[in-house]
Every structure is written in structure tokens, then in C-alpha cells.
Amino acid sequence: MKKTLNPPRAKKVPHALIIHDDERIDNYFWLNNREDQEVIDYLNAENNYTLQIMAHTEDLQKSLFEEMKARIKEDDTSVPYFYNGYWYITRYEVGKDYPVYTRKKESLDAPEEIMFDCNAMAKGHAYFKLGGISVSPDNTLAAFSVDTVSRRQYTIQIKNLKTGEIYTDKIENTSGSCTWANDNSTLFYSRKDAVTLRAFKIFKHQLNTDAENDIEVYHETDDTFNTFVYKTKSRKYIVIGASSTLTSEYRILPADKPNQDFKVFSKRERGIEYGISHYNDTFYIITNRDKATNFKLQKTLENLTDKSFWEDVIPHREKVLLEDIEIFKEYLVVSERENGLNKLRIISWDGQEDYYLPFDDETYTVYTGNNPEFNSSTLRYSYNSLTTPSSVIDYDFKTKSKTIKKEQAVLGDFDKREYESKRLWATADDGTKIPMSMVYRKGMELSGKNPLLLYAYGSYGSTIDPYFSSIRLSLLNRGFIYVIAHVRGGEYLGRNWYESGKLLQKKNTFSDFIDCSKFLIQENYTSKDHLYAYGGSAGGLLMGAIMNCEPDLYKGVIAAVPFVDVVTTMLDDSIPLTTGEYDEWGNPNEKDYYNYMKSYSPYDNVTDQDYPNVLVTTGIHDSQVQYWEPAKWVAKLRELKTDSNILLLHTDMDTGHGGASGRFESLKEVALEYAFLLDLEGISQ
């Protein structure tokens, strides 16, 4: 990769930011205005520069795109699931980007009813996303939501599934999800604040009425909370949930009585999280109360819902994280995590059975699938690993037999026996063992010359499990090793793993990643000349932090939609998500959090030193991490870095946080990223 062109240089307009008697000068604050033509011109100039620098890889990008696309079965169909008298199926057609949602009444041999053809709906839109679909209890209506901007602001409409008519009801600026009361005419949904995009109100809509007349049934006034609404699997209750990072609260209403008032399930108490599921006359509650750090399962009668009545079903365990439950008529299925690995526990309600489903791989991912029917004698779950394509499996509780309903098709000459995976443990400076999941093509030599891509996220307790990717094969087949570092800040090793990577311990996330990098070099899996790092969103913050701390450790870094201007963003409560993030990052209006945040914020800590080759991507409509964060970061890096390495910014001028909406269009983004890595390795085919 040769740099012969002069990169764009953003103008410097000093802007003073003062708090706690501390002044920061932000020379690129002016980029925070997508309505300013000069800002758009700068972003376009960066895009043109990226195109020119990467022009010699165009054939490689096209080849990668076609190669990745060719592995995908274009005429694909989901495994049907049965709900309320209908089989529901999602399918894709050859050459088309978007899904078609269909159903069949009672039997899979019945005629297909097309509910939504997203290919037709997406025409004329640079971006299209169908949000939630909620079918009325009598199966005649479907409320659906659409986002055509990529700001995650959905418009809800209602379709008559018998006639195909789309009613005039149109509800703007929602979160996209909604649920019907049992009268088939009342719809509950959450609305967003137009500026912060926080879901803060729940409304009740009556069919065939103007949305302007909808009744507000709940207003979440605490700006650190978001609110949502759904119906229990039992179909007996409408539930309003309100949650922040550390605290949750629910309200319930009989679904048969939509005009009554919601009742608080159990009042919020800071630091107490809980979630509820209903079965017969009982609610089952997953909660961390009573210092149950890894959560426990409790229950209470539906007319005695305050936490003072809750009783233990599965007590807290120090080494087992209770993640979720799935309730059936005769069985309870518990999703757990122990030593980083997913487990599915089967418990019969009569107390006669209690066992775990066996899984053989050293590192894998398993999770319950779509199980909407109480009376089913079958558990549907999904299984995959770094070397095994995803399978949808039905497990029969009675016969204890497994039926693979579908294995992800990987077209071409893929043979999973040609790949290996393993789990490794690096040791952090404080003695903590950091797990990693690795995959590579067989025949790898520990020569220190292998190109290696190290990925991590490490925030919000979000666990990146070792998953299969047909797209990733394009790297593995060219000699790359791929590694996921399960750093602190996720929940891979339980809730404490998360707690020790947030707030005033956030730097553990960064040092863990660096220690994993050094371990991989020390063990001769790779070297500084062949080590690459990748992270997106909060993982992009991780990329910015490790670049400032150990810039010479990596040959290249990809930062996707990176959260890099931490202090400024967390001080601006008009930006989407900010106030709800205080429990994750801290509130910089408090001096201790401000100082700690400032000490690692990538943008604030760019300095005059050498940096690795860097590719940064963002979307102009990003609602999660505003485009100006990566734009400002790149501008400051251009100003201060002392090396001649490549620095590229690519802004998608049509999309937001999730990138392109089509299943094939998004592959072009991956092709650019992979071409960036391969070119640095001197791999041109």
C-alpha cells in the first residue's frame, strides 16, 4: 500500500470546553453539524481519498465480494415455526437483498401467504429496515415498522393480512416494536424522544384512529432509563419495562383488559435488575437481588408481585451466570454460562428430571431459538462454533433425541475438517487469566509470521461468543489466524467479569487486549509486523485506546463506527444514549469520572507519535455513535501523527450504525476492510 496523495486536512477552529476548572481545546468541534455543507465536503474528500489510496485493490475487493457472496445460499429459507395456528417462514430469493416474510395456515402443505416482501418495500430507498412484526391474536392484522434513514426511528403501520390493505394509521418516531391487546384493536408501542432518541413513552393506539389521539399510558421521566412494551409468552399480560444499565422495573396489565391501568410489578431499586416470565398463575423472575451477582431464579404468585414475596427456584451460584429461561408446559429450560461456555439445563416441572445437554467442542456458542408455543414438547436451539456452521436443532424432551432441522449452507469447497479452533489464556499484569477463542486453517506453523486479526468488544456486559462466519473464511483461506479476546467488560466469565471492566475499572478492557496481543506474539502465533486489531462501536473505543498506549504493537487497526470522543459525548445529554450510559462509563459531570474518562478517551489522548496503519468507518446517520466522533479523531490523528502510515476514513453517506441494510450490499464494506488488511500483508489475490 503506497501513499502518494496528500490527504484531506480539516481546518482548525479552536473551541474551548471547560468543566471542573479544566479546559480542553477541540480544534475540530465544528465537524459536529451534518447540515453544514463544509462538513459534508470534508467527509466526501475523505471518502475520495480512501477510494484513491485503495484504488489498486479494486480488483481484490471485487474478488472478495464475489467470493463471500458465492458462499451464501441465495434462495434460502428459515426453519418454520408454529404460532397461534400458523407456520411462519422467512425466505430469500436469488439475487435479492431482502427477506420475504410468509406464513401457512395450520399445515406446511397449505398455500403460502406473503405477509411482507421487503424487496418491493425497499425500492427507492438507499437504506431499508423492517423492524418488528406483531400479528393480532385473531391473525387478521399485522402491525409492522419501517426505518428508511438508519437512525433507528421507526414508523409503525398496520396491514390487513386478508385483503393486503395497509391502513391509514401511521405512527412516527417509535422504537419499532409494538404489541396487540387481546381485543385485536388496541396496540401498545414505545415512542422516542425526537432529539435524544431515548424510548421514553408508551402509548395506546386504537385501530383506525389518528395517532395524534393516542393515549399516553406511561412516561419514563428518568433520562437514564429506556422503556419498552411486550406481551408475555402466556399471552395473558401486556408488560411495560423500564431499564437502565443497573436497574429495572416492570408494569403489568391483563391483555384482555387494555383500558385498565398498568400495575407496578415491583418498584425499582437502584442496582437491582430483574426480568419476568409468566406461567400458569406464577411469575418467574431472573434477578440479582440479595447480592446475587450472577443472578438467580425466583418465583411469585401473579397477585403478589412485590419483591418481598419472591422465593428462590434456582439460588445464586458464584461460578455460574444465569442468563435466561424458556418456559414450556412440562419443562423449564435454563440458559447458563460457566467458565465462559454456554450451557442448556433441562428441568421438568414434576421434579423428576434435571440435566444438561452435552456439547463436545472446546469453544462454541449455543442459545435457545424461537419457542413461542407453551405446549410444545420440543426445544428449538441453535449451535455453532468457530469451525462449525450454525445449526437449528429440535430437541425432544420425551425421547431425548435431537433433530437437525437446518445447517447453514456454505457453498463452494468448504470443508469444516480443514479448520481448527482452540481456547487460549493470556495472563494480565494483575495475574488475571484472559480467555481467547482462536480459529485458523490447519497447517499453521508457530513461526511468528502468521497474519493475525485480534477482535474484541468489551463493554456493556455484551459477550462475543465464538461464532462461525462464512465471510471470515476469506481471511482464513489466505493464511490469517482469527482470535476473539474475551476481555473484561463483557460477561464471558460472569457478571464480575463485566463489573471489573467498566466505570473506574474501564482500563482493564484495554490492558487485557494488549496483554492478549503480547501473549500471541510471545507464543509465536504472530509478530508486530503481522498483528492486526479490529473493534467496532464501544470496541472502536478499545481500538483508539490501544493505539494511544501501544501504537507499535500493531501493523494495522480497523475501527468501525468507533466511540472515541468519550468525554465530550458523555457531557452532552442531547446526544442519543448519553444519559443512559452513565452507569457504564460514569458521569463526567462528577470530577472523578471526568478525570478518569479523560485519561483514556482516544480523541483526548492523541499525541505526536507514530501510529499503525488505520482504517476508520462510520455512517452519516449513525444514532449510536455520531459520525463526527470518528471524523474528528481522524482529523486530529492526521494533524499529530509522526509516521507515514496509511490513515483512512470511510463514511457511508446513506446509512447509520449498522451499515448497509441489504445482505449483499454489506459485503462490500467487509471487502474494503479485508482488502485493507490483505494489502498490508502483500496479499493481492
Side-chain angles (χ1 to χ4, degrees):
M1 190 178 290
K2 297 179 180 178
K3 187 176 78 169
T4 57
L5 302 164
N6 290 322
R9 295 282 181 178
K11 69 179 182 180
K12 294 170 66 172
V13 182
H15 180 85
L17 298 164
I18 304 171
I19 189 173
H20 305 305
D21 297 321
D22 181 57
E23 181 180 72
R24 292 178 301 130
I25 300 298
D26 186 348
N27 290 320
Y28 304 106
F29 189 86
W30 66 274
L31 287 169
N32 178 350
N33 183 2
R34 66 170 56 84
E35 305 303 321
D36 184 344
Q37 187 58 47
E38 193 171 1
V39 171
I40 300 301
D41 290 344
Y42 170 70
L43 296 177
N44 284 328
E46 286 283 4
N47 280 350
N48 290 333
Y49 177 69
T50 297
L51 281 173
Q52 292 176 71
I53 290 294
M54 296 296 291
H56 67 288
T57 70
E58 282 186 10
D59 288 343
L60 176 59
Q61 290 183 54
K62 290 176 183 176
S63 176
L64 286 165
F65 172 78
E66 294 298 337
E67 179 182 304
M68 293 184 287
K69 181 181 177 183
R71 294 194 195 102
I72 298 172
K73 190 174 187 295
E74 294 198 38
D75 55 341
D76 206 4
T77 303
S78 68
V79 179
Y81 70 89
F82 190 76
Y83 179 69
N84 195 26
Y86 280 82
W87 288 96
Y88 288 87
I89 306 163
T90 304
R91 58 178 174 82
Y92 285 89
E93 298 177 351
V94 174
K96 295 185 178 180
D97 259 324
Y98 296 95
V100 179
Y101 293 93
T102 72
R103 68 178 186 173
K104 296 182 177 184
K105 188 173 183 179
E106 297 296 345
S107 168
L108 287 171
D109 295 325
E112 176 187 78
E113 300 177 26
I114 294 180
M115 301 166 62
F116 299 98
D117 181 350
C118 293
N119 299 286
M121 298 169 73
K123 286 182 179 177
H125 299 292
Y127 177 92
F128 176 85
K129 178 74 172 179
L130 182 69
I133 300 173
S134 180
V135 178
S136 61
D138 65 3
N139 291 309
T140 63
L141 304 171
F144 66 100
S145 59
V146 169
D147 173 15
T148 57
V149 178
S150 191
R151 286 284 284 174
R152 302 187 183 184
Q153 292 171 285
Y154 290 86
T155 298
I156 293 174
Q157 293 180 271
I158 297 168
K159 182 176 183 177
N160 186 313
L161 295 176
K162 297 295 185 184
T163 67
E165 177 189 1
I166 295 179
Y167 294 162
T168 56
D169 312 51
K170 186 174 277 192
I171 308 169
E172 307 281 357
N173 195 31
T174 78
S175 66
S177 62
C178 56
T179 191
W180 293 93
N182 289 344
D183 63 359
N184 301 294
S185 63
T186 306
L187 193 68
F188 293 91
Y189 65 91
S190 57
R191 185 170 286 173
K192 290 190 168 187
D193 181 284
V195 176
T196 67
L197 303 189
R198 179 175 71 94
F200 73 129
K201 290 182 178 180
I202 303 296
F203 282 85
K204 178 171 61 177
H205 175 77
Q206 200 64 33
L207 188 64
N208 295 321
T209 65
D210 192 325
E212 292 293 322
N213 299 321
D214 287 357
I215 297 172
E216 179 185 310
V217 296
Y218 178 65
H219 179 190
E220 178 52 65
T221 57
D222 187 329
D223 62 7
T224 67
F225 278 71
N226 285 283
T227 189
F228 51 92
V229 63
Y230 66 95
K231 186 186 289 185
T232 58
K233 183 175 176 179
S234 65
R235 309 177 201 174
K236 185 173 180 180
Y237 289 97
I238 303 291
V239 181
I240 292 176
S243 66
S244 68
T245 305
L246 295 176
T247 310
S248 47
E249 181 181 65
Y250 292 86
R251 287 165 168 75
I252 58 175
L253 173 72
D256 289 333
K257 301 174 180 177
N259 294 319
Q260 290 189 356
D261 293 331
F262 281 84
K263 166 197 165 189
V264 175
F265 188 88
S266 187
K267 288 184 179 179
R268 70 185 63 175
E269 181 180 338
R270 179 165 172 77
I272 302 300
E273 299 173 65
Y274 70 95
I276 60 176
S277 300
H278 180 256
Y279 174 57
N280 286 341
D281 61 352
T282 302
F283 277 100
Y284 289 82
I285 308 112
I286 296 175
T287 181
N288 66 343
R289 66 187 292 253
D290 302 323
K291 300 181 180 178
T293 306
N294 276 332
F295 293 83
K296 61 181 177 178
L297 182 65
Q298 298 193 291
K299 69 176 182 179
T300 191
L301 293 174
E302 59 188 356
N303 61 336
L304 298 171
T305 60
D306 183 78
K307 64 175 68 70
S308 61
F309 297 105
W310 300 357
E311 302 173 356
D312 279 4
V313 177
I314 300 176
H316 177 252
R317 292 155 293 171
E318 291 293 335
K319 295 184 178 180
V320 180
L321 176 66
L322 198 164
E323 293 188 314
D324 201 2
I325 61 170
E326 188 74 66
I327 296 176
F328 296 87
K329 182 179 180 181
E330 297 182 45
Y331 291 88
L332 171 68
V333 179
V334 184
S335 297
E336 302 177 350
R337 185 184 296 273
E338 184 174 11
N339 196 31
L341 299 179
N342 308 118
K343 292 187 172 186
L344 295 181
R345 182 180 179 185
I346 314 296
I347 304 171
S348 61
W349 290 116
D350 64 11
Q352 298 300 305
E353 297 178 271
D354 186 345
Y355 59 94
Y356 289 89
L357 293 184
F359 303 109
D360 298 327
D361 286 315
E362 181 180 1
T363 179
Y364 61 85
T365 298
V366 66
Y367 53 91
T368 57
N370 199 344
N371 294 280
E373 289 285 355
F374 260 126
N375 295 329
S376 176
S377 60
T378 301
L379 165 70
R380 176 161 293 172
Y381 69 92
S382 292
Y383 177 90
N384 72 100
S385 73
L386 288 167
T387 59
T388 306
S390 180
S391 295
V392 177
I393 301 168
D394 279 358
Y395 175 77
D396 190 300
F397 293 120
K398 301 299 185 184
T399 65
K400 296 182 170 54
S401 61
K402 298 178 183 178
T403 304
I404 297 177
K405 304 298 290 184
K406 179 183 179 181
E407 180 170 288
Q408 175 188 350
V410 182
L411 305 185
D413 57 359
F414 170 73
D415 183 346
K416 62 185 178 184
R417 294 171 297 182
E418 295 179 355
Y419 303 87
E420 289 184 333
S421 66
K422 62 172 64 175
R423 193 157 63 148
L424 304 169
W425 300 78
T427 303
D429 281 344
D430 63 3
T432 303
K433 298 291 186 182
I434 313 299
M436 291 175 282
S437 298
M438 171 185 286
V439 63
Y440 51 90
R441 193 172 179 120
K442 286 182 178 178
M444 174 186 68
E445 297 180 2
L446 296 180
S447 63
K449 297 180 180 179
N450 301 302
L452 188 151
L453 180 59
L454 181 61
Y455 171 84
Y457 184 73
S459 293
Y460 302 105
S462 178
T463 299
I464 307 300
D465 282 309
Y467 64 97
F468 180 81
S469 167
S470 68
I471 294 169
R472 188 191 300 136
L473 295 174
S474 291
L475 285 183
L476 301 183
N477 291 345
R478 289 172 172 83
F480 265 77
I481 301 170
Y482 182 84
V483 181
I484 301 170
H486 304 290
V487 295
R488 281 175 280 189
E491 269 185 356
Y492 187 79
L493 292 180
R495 185 69 172 191
N496 282 327
W497 199 246
Y498 168 43
E499 298 292 344
S500 60
K502 62 185 285 197
L503 297 173
L504 298 177
Q505 299 185 78
K506 186 64 211 171
K507 290 182 183 179
N508 284 335
T509 303
F510 317 141
S511 60
D512 283 358
F513 190 90
I514 290 169
D515 288 333
C516 286
S517 302
K518 291 179 177 178
F519 172 85
L520 293 166
I521 292 171
Q522 175 188 321
E523 297 298 313
N524 279 327
Y525 287 103
T526 190
S527 65
K528 291 182 179 181
D529 292 334
H530 301 284
L531 177 58
Y532 302 89
Y534 186 108
S537 195
L541 160 63
L542 170 58
M543 295 300 100
I546 58 126
M547 280 170 51
N548 285 332
C549 295
E550 296 274 358
D552 66 337
L553 198 55
Y554 307 93
K555 177 72 173 288
V557 172
I558 298 177
V561 292
F563 174 41
V564 284
D565 190 13
V566 184
V567 179
T568 306
T569 291
M570 293 304 297
L571 283 169
D572 186 352
D573 60 13
S574 71
I575 294 177
L577 302 182
T578 292
T579 54
E581 307 276 287
Y582 289 157
D583 288 333
E584 177 71 24
W585 309 101
N587 183 348
N589 291 293
E590 299 176 24
K591 189 173 183 180
D592 286 348
Y593 286 114
Y594 172 84
N595 289 335
Y596 187 75
M597 212 175 280
K598 184 185 174 186
S599 72
Y600 69 74
S601 173
Y603 183 64
D604 289 290
N605 288 281
V606 173
T607 187
D608 53 349
Q609 63 178 354
D610 287 0
Y611 282 92
N613 298 282
V614 182
L615 169 63
V616 182
T617 63
T618 187
I620 189 70
H621 298 299
D622 198 326
S623 61
Q624 312 299 105
V625 178
Q626 309 301 313
Y627 75 89
W628 59 76
E629 291 199 38
K632 288 166 52 176
W633 182 45
V634 168
K636 192 171 183 180
L637 282 167
R638 286 213 192 286
E639 174 195 352
L640 296 178
K641 76 190 191 82
T642 54
D643 59 84
S644 58
N645 288 330
I646 300 296
L647 173 59
L648 302 176
L649 172 65
H650 175 70
T651 304
D652 191 318
M653 305 303 283
D654 293 318
T655 68
H657 200 64
S661 55
R663 60 172 172 161
F664 299 131
E665 196 65 26
S666 60
L667 294 180
K668 294 177 181 177
E669 301 170 358
V670 180
L672 172 65
E673 295 173 347
Y674 282 11
F676 173 78
L677 297 173
L678 293 167
D679 192 51
L680 289 171
E681 278 296 306
I683 300 171
S684 59
Q685 294 184 349

